[in-house]
Amino acid sequence: MIKFLDLKKNNEKYRKELIQAVTNVIDSGWYIQGVEVKAFEQGFALYCGVKHCVGVANGLDALTLIMRAWKELGKLKDGDEVIVPANTYIASILAITENNLTPVLVEPDPSTYNLCPKQTEKLITRKTRAILPVHLYGQMADMPSIMEIANHHNLLVLEDSAQAHGASINGIKAGNWGDASGFSFYPGKNLGALGDAGAITTSDDELAQTIRALGNYGSHKKYENIYQGVNSRLDEMQAAILRVKLKYLEGEIMSRRFIANKYIEGVNNPKIKLPGYFSTEISVWHLFVIRTKERNALSKYLEGKKIASLIHYPFPPHKQKAYPEFNKETFPITEKIHDEVLSIPMDPTMNENEISYIVDALNAF
């Protein structure tokens, strides 16, 4: 069976360094907010090209804490509207509603599946205060156009970079376009921890300081609480693991781009729509998502060929029971995407024979 992503095999490449990193943490006797977290934050901030990185517990917390901090700083208030793509993973929406803000769902670009600037501008109202572009599947949204719109209307921009570690446009990386960005280091991400972990990037000093306090029980100083905060901190063990894997992220991205190019050059089945992209170099190919009107049949066919596949995602947020207020709304492009998408293996450890086998199988469908 060709696995969708063989995490054990991927992490095996770094086994000795990971064991040494974990051993160093165990031997240090310091497991929360120590030298490993500080070093990773500095390294990831440098990698993204920003002033600050704040480690948090996971990617959802990253998005939630950014908007919570903006509320504490008076930049957002209850009921303000946040524009977000309708076809995103539900975490993007959860972070908005958790802060008593109003998500305004926008149809994506039907080619790239990312936030459509033209549709975004049409939905800006006097209540709009922020735009939340999601760099879905590893390809960056059209950030030059989105930033132009945001600057014109004086709006905040929060990048959801959970799937786009290392992606860039014009040399500027994901996490360094908007006012702030949230990252997830869930194990399956291009930069994945061995458990849950996340981070926030920004070049806003006041925002970074506020977020750091909010994620630490609302405290800048032990036992002194400025805010009604939460506990959302990147722990030493995951930070040490991420420090090891950050060194190899660019190599992982190159491997993913190699696989993506093989798929793009090789798959020519008219029943299968390949992902749209500005450039294969803009995407870091967290996922390679194809589309077909015969998704169930193709998925079953691939299973028979011993090729794993997944659906990202079967249900859009507006059709989830969690948001009954959106259930009656219609987003035709989003719904069509969710009915047709199928993710095929994107595993940096695959060999060329396995990649060719997948291409041949898709063409024979």
Side-chain angles (χ1 to χ4, degrees):
M1 186 76 176
I2 298 178
K3 293 184 178 182
F4 184 80
L5 176 65
D6 191 335
L7 285 177
K8 183 179 179 180
K9 194 172 180 181
N10 273 273
N11 287 317
E12 185 68 30
K13 295 179 291 187
Y14 317 122
R15 181 181 179 86
K16 289 183 179 179
E17 286 185 78
L18 291 173
I19 289 174
Q20 185 59 58
V22 169
T23 301
N24 291 343
V25 174
I26 294 171
D27 292 346
S28 75
W30 193 286
Y31 309 119
I32 299 287
Q33 300 287 282
V35 295
E36 295 291 345
V37 169
K38 185 176 181 181
F40 174 73
E41 288 178 340
Q42 290 173 342
F44 195 63
L46 182 64
Y47 178 78
C48 294
V50 297
K51 289 177 67 176
H52 304 284
C53 169
V54 181
V56 295
N58 54 67
L60 174 56
D61 281 5
L63 298 175
T64 303
L65 284 167
I66 292 166
M67 286 184 274
R68 169 72 190 282
W70 279 335
K71 290 185 75 176
E72 294 289 352
L73 294 171
K75 295 184 178 183
L76 292 175
K77 64 180 186 303
D78 286 0
D80 282 348
E81 292 179 352
V82 180
I83 292 176
V84 62
N87 64 312
T88 186
Y89 181 60
I90 199 169
S92 310
I93 314 294
L94 291 171
I96 297 170
T97 56
E98 177 65 19
N99 280 290
N100 294 316
L101 301 168
T102 304
V104 176
L105 306 181
V106 184
E107 288 275 51
D109 181 312
S111 176
T112 65
Y113 314 139
N114 277 330
L115 190 67
C116 177
K118 289 183 179 178
Q119 294 298 324
T120 296
E121 193 149 35
K122 288 179 183 177
L123 291 175
I124 293 173
T125 71
R126 60 183 179 82
K127 293 184 178 180
T128 307
R129 292 293 179 270
I131 302 174
L132 201 166
V134 180
H135 305 318
L136 198 63
Y137 305 148
Q139 177 167 211
M140 288 187 67
D142 184 358
M143 291 310 296
S145 298
I146 291 168
M147 292 307 300
E148 185 177 347
I149 292 168
N151 291 334
H152 179 72
H153 295 277
N154 195 29
L155 303 175
L156 296 164
V157 175
L158 166 51
E159 295 175 74
D160 184 337
S161 301
Q163 300 183 3
H165 319 71
S168 65
I169 297 176
N170 299 331
I172 302 174
K173 281 190 168 65
N176 191 19
W177 278 91
D179 298 281
S181 180
F183 286 86
S184 166
F185 303 122
Y186 183 78
K189 304 297 186 185
N190 291 19
L191 178 59
L194 300 188
D196 268 323
I200 292 159
T201 59
T202 184
S203 290
D204 183 327
D205 297 341
E206 187 178 30
L207 179 64
Q209 185 180 34
T210 304
I211 289 168
R212 198 173 290 282
L214 284 170
N216 187 40
Y217 300 98
S219 174
H220 285 295
K221 185 178 180 181
K222 196 169 185 178
Y223 303 130
E224 294 182 16
N225 303 79
I226 304 171
Y227 311 108
Q228 295 177 21
V230 298
N231 177 11
S232 182
R233 301 176 298 204
L234 176 64
D235 70 70
E236 283 288 282
M237 199 74 76
Q238 298 303 338
I241 289 164
L242 288 167
R243 284 186 68 198
V244 171
K245 298 183 77 175
L246 180 59
K247 295 187 296 183
Y248 302 102
L249 178 56
E250 287 298 311
E252 295 283 329
I253 291 170
M254 293 303 295
S255 296
R256 288 172 178 273
R257 285 176 174 160
F258 175 82
I259 296 167
N261 281 322
K262 288 292 184 181
Y263 284 155
I264 291 166
E265 292 168 0
V267 177
N268 53 28
N269 189 329
K271 292 184 178 182
I272 295 172
K273 178 180 173 61
L274 295 173
Y277 52 89
F278 297 116
S279 161
T280 54
E281 298 307 307
I282 287 176
S283 180
V284 291
W285 300 104
H286 169 59
L287 299 170
F288 194 95
V289 182
I290 59 177
R291 281 173 62 184
T292 177
K293 293 179 180 179
E294 302 176 43
R295 180 176 69 194
N296 292 342
L298 177 57
S299 177
K300 188 174 181 180
Y301 164 81
L302 291 175
E303 184 179 3
K305 292 285 187 179
K306 305 298 183 183
I307 299 170
S309 64
L310 293 172
I311 301 172
H312 296 92
Y313 301 97
F315 307 107
H318 73 280
K319 294 298 184 184
Q320 299 282 3
K321 290 183 179 179
Y323 290 105
E325 63 270 33
F326 293 135
N327 288 171
K328 292 183 179 179
E329 294 194 27
T330 301
F331 297 92
I333 296 174
T334 291
E335 289 160 21
K336 185 175 177 64
I337 289 170
H338 283 262
D339 286 342
E340 296 181 354
V341 290
L342 186 70
S343 301
I344 59 176
M346 178 50 75
D347 184 342
T349 66
M350 285 194 299
N351 60 48
E352 290 199 49
N353 288 335
E354 289 172 319
I355 299 168
S356 296
Y357 177 75
I358 294 168
V359 169
D360 290 343
L362 290 171
N363 286 334
F365 174 69

